[in-house]
Amino acid sequence: MMQKRFGVDVESGYACVGTGVFSEVRRGAWWTAPFLRFGAFRNILFPDHGTNIPFTIENYPYIDGFGRPTVTFIRTLKMPGAKKRRFDATMVHSMKRGAIVDYLGTHQHLATDLLLEVLPDGSLHLQTSGQRFYEGPVAFDFPAIGTGTADVYESYDESRGVYTIQAQVRNPLFGFLFGYKGEFTCQFPATVGEATPVGLKPVREEIRE
């Protein structure tokens, strides 16, 4: 089931749409709120927190404007008060970097390499490695102090037929910034032609990896 979930690509012929609940969504100390609030403008991070938060995760494959096979990782949370928050990410495989590049946000301003590891129990550990900023002619690597390293763990519970997920974002100086944990079930709709729903693709695409 983990292979099926992460087997989504242009040639697979299907997408993965998960629906579930985060038992908790946490943030760091009060002084992390401005940083998280800034990230909310481009669907990267947000300052809200709570328990029992319904969410969806939508993984659709498509060919982007530069001809690269791409997969969406769009997480939409229904926070208290009917407020919706999103994490937007699109992923491509980079031959140049020898890694999956994860573009963050609605405009792909941030890019990070993903390190993937299958653990002995069959779960998957994803970790971000460095962050790069791209906007017009501007391009630079963030120093470690200005970034957050994300660790995400996903697994499949055979006995209950659900996927489990937990994640946390930490800064080397300021410590814990943001995190969540929960579980979800998945459907695998067939994709024919241009099947990616409107609103899941980034507003702007970035060729630099």
Side-chain angles (χ1 to χ4, degrees), residues 20-29 32 36 44-56 75-80 83-87 165-169 176-183:
V21 174
F22 286 132
S23 57
E24 65 175 359
V25 175
R26 300 187 298 136
R27 73 177 190 197
T32 64
L36 299 174
I44 299 173
L45 289 171
F46 54 80
D48 308 78
H49 55 93
T51 58
N52 299 320
I53 306 299
F55 76 96
T56 59
R75 288 141 290 183
T76 304
L77 290 71
K78 186 177 180 181
M79 304 302 295
K83 179 190 296 183
K84 287 188 177 181
R85 292 292 198 182
R86 272 177 48 160
F87 298 113
I165 184 171
Q166 57 179 322
Q168 64 173 358
V169 181
F176 176 80
L177 298 177
F178 188 85
Y180 55 79
K181 65 178 181 179
E183 57 186 42

Side-chain angles (χ1 to χ4, degrees), residues 40-134:
F41 285 108
R42 293 294 168 85
N43 291 351
I44 299 173
L45 289 171
F46 54 80
D48 308 78
H49 55 93
T51 58
N52 299 320
I53 306 299
F55 76 96
T56 59
I57 179 167
E58 297 172 279
N59 306 121
Y60 277 85
Y62 67 97
I63 301 297
D64 75 2
F66 300 111
R68 300 175 299 186
T70 306
V71 179
T72 67
F73 272 73
I74 307 297
R75 288 141 290 183
T76 304
L77 290 71
K78 186 177 180 181
M79 304 302 295
K83 179 190 296 183
K84 287 188 177 181
R85 292 292 198 182
R86 272 177 48 160
F87 298 113
D88 284 21
T90 42
M91 300 183 185
V92 303
H93 180 259
S94 170
M95 295 293 292
K96 175 183 177 181
R97 302 189 69 86
I100 293 175
V101 173
D102 188 10
Y103 289 105
L104 306 176
T106 56
H107 290 63
Q108 295 191 344
H109 287 313
L110 296 180
T112 182
D113 295 343
L114 286 184
L115 307 177
L116 286 77
E117 175 188 18
V118 178
L119 302 180
D121 63 358
S123 61
L124 182 65
H125 173 211
L126 300 89
Q127 184 179 71
T128 60
S129 175
Q131 286 185 4
R132 303 173 293 280
F133 178 85
Y134 302 123

Side-chain angles (χ1 to χ4, degrees), residues 10 60-65 70 72 190-198 200-201:
V10 173
Y60 277 85
Y62 67 97
I63 301 297
D64 75 2
T70 306
T72 67
T191 54
V192 179
E194 183 51 76
T196 304
V198 174
L200 295 189
K201 292 183 179 180

